Amino acid sequence: MNKFEISRRELISSTATIGAASILFPTLKLSAGDTRELKIVDTNASLFQWPFRRLPLDETETLINKYRALGVSEIWAGSYEALLHRDLVGVNERLAEKCHETPELIAIGEINPALPGWERDFELCVQKHNMPGLRVHPNYHGYKLDDPSFINLLKLATEAERFVQIAVAMEDARTQHPLVAVPDVDLAPLPGVLLDFPDAKIQILNWKPRGAITSQLLQHRGIFLDVARVDSTDGIAKLIREAPENRILFGTHAPFLIPEAAMIRVAESKLNEKELRSLLSGAAQSLNRKVL
């Protein structure tokens, strides 16, 4: 049995004791003289409680223990509270405090440019908390990607050398509460918006890449994608090989999804060493050189 033939049941039952990374990648063949460890960075996680139901890993300590068992050494985390809270100063304060307590956590500030005074929230994220990136939820907050407020946020983030994470979806439409039905973010306006921001860096989270829009987005050198919702056993490999180098990042959408799910898809993708290192940490370094 090679590293890609392990059963999903075996992985899930073994992570608590010996770690998923050692199971999935035990025989990774390193280049001659290469002694680097296989660093794993999850660029798409959230802290605190999902608003609509409890999740098995929504306690931060439980989530971190799971990550440690999996061999993940760095986690970029936003906050579920940002979806429905209007007081994002408090949301980001709690997020920054929790991340400060845990060395693996990197706080990603939450911004809602549809709220009055959001520029102050941005300043606090950048100047007080020194957050390397900002996360937005346009579908939950009611604006489009060509809205002037989002364009202004993108301008400020680019000037401050911060990246922006756009969460396309948080939950499948089929399982949403009927009174809070939230469609996926429409990415169609983004390529046109980016024409005015050649130095912007944007990571698109929880998206299932499809159609011509994928190639249009990846033509911009500052667009990065995560793999949390990439379908099929060959989906990740196909995306990596079609995209420019170091543009596809590892993300799990934990704790809404169990982090093992993304690791299994990576293992089943049968990536070579260069592709694997790029996905698990190298592309994250390209997006955010200030953190790694």
Side-chain angles (χ1 to χ4, degrees):
M1 177 182 293
N2 65 37
K3 63 178 179 292
F4 302 111
E5 292 173 340
I6 183 170
S7 72
R8 298 187 176 198
R9 180 174 297 180
E10 181 181 356
L11 170 63
I12 293 172
S13 64
S14 302
T15 52
T17 56
I18 61 177
S22 60
I23 300 172
L24 291 174
F25 316 116
T27 59
L28 177 64
K29 191 172 183 179
L30 300 178
S31 303
D34 193 342
T35 59
R36 294 174 297 164
E37 294 182 357
L38 187 64
K39 183 180 178 71
I40 303 176
V41 179
D42 184 355
T43 64
N44 178 10
S46 301
L47 300 188
F48 311 121
Q49 292 183 11
W50 175 247
F52 304 103
R53 62 182 171 89
R54 293 302 303 269
L55 303 171
L57 298 174
D58 62 15
E59 295 288 347
T60 302
E61 291 73 17
T62 305
L63 180 63
I64 294 303
N65 288 336
K66 168 63 72 175
Y67 274 120
R68 288 171 178 166
L70 294 170
V72 177
S73 58
E74 187 166 291
I75 306 106
W76 300 2
S79 172
Y80 284 140
E81 294 180 341
L83 297 181
L84 301 179
H85 286 220
R86 292 179 63 85
D87 174 23
L88 291 189
V89 172
V91 168
N92 286 317
E93 287 280 356
R94 290 186 289 275
L95 176 65
E97 181 179 357
K98 182 59 69 173
C99 290
H100 183 72
E101 296 172 356
T102 309
E104 293 94 337
L105 288 173
I106 303 296
I108 304 299
E110 294 280 2
I111 301 292
N112 179 358
L115 290 176
W118 66 265
E119 294 90 347
R120 178 58 176 162
D121 298 333
F122 176 87
E123 291 177 4
L124 290 172
C125 287
V126 172
Q127 298 176 9
K128 179 179 179 180
H129 302 305
N130 195 28
M131 294 171 170
L134 299 312
R135 186 174 296 179
V136 296
H137 304 272
N139 49 351
Y140 281 85
H141 296 156
Y143 61 89
K144 305 295 184 181
L145 294 183
D146 54 1
D147 188 283
S149 61
F150 174 74
I151 293 173
N152 192 27
L153 169 60
L154 191 58
K155 177 178 181 291
L156 293 177
T158 303
E159 292 173 348
E161 298 184 321
R162 262 56 179 187
F163 60 85
V164 175
Q165 293 183 327
I166 301 173
V168 169
M170 296 297 287
E171 183 178 14
D172 190 295
R174 295 168 295 183
T175 62
Q176 292 176 2
H177 190 288
L179 296 181
V180 191
V182 184
D184 288 4
V185 175
D186 180 11
L187 295 175
L190 193 55
V193 169
L194 290 173
L195 293 176
D196 293 328
F197 299 97
D199 296 324
K201 287 190 172 184
I202 296 177
Q203 184 184 8
I204 300 173
L205 306 180
N206 303 332
W207 184 47
K208 296 181 179 181
R210 55 187 177 272
I213 185 66
T214 305
S215 59
Q216 291 175 13
L217 288 170
L218 289 172
Q219 287 175 10
H220 188 282
R221 67 174 184 268
I223 287 290
F224 298 76
L225 310 179
D226 92 324
V227 297
R229 295 182 71 206
V230 174
D231 289 329
S232 74
T233 56
D234 64 346
I236 293 176
K238 182 178 179 181
L239 184 61
I240 288 175
R241 290 160 192 171
E242 290 179 351
E245 186 175 2
N246 284 340
R247 302 277 286 280
I248 310 302
L249 290 78
F250 182 67
T252 67
H253 190 24
F256 190 86
L257 302 177
I258 61 170
E260 290 96 329
M263 283 191 146
I264 291 167
R265 289 198 302 275
V266 171
E268 292 175 342
S269 298
K270 302 183 179 180
L271 303 176
N272 61 40
E273 179 193 341
K274 181 179 179 181
E275 293 167 338
L276 190 60
R277 289 196 183 280
S278 173
L279 175 66
L280 296 181
S281 63
Q285 186 172 13
S286 294
L287 174 60
N288 180 29
R289 296 186 182 279
K290 292 186 177 182
V291 170
L292 295 174

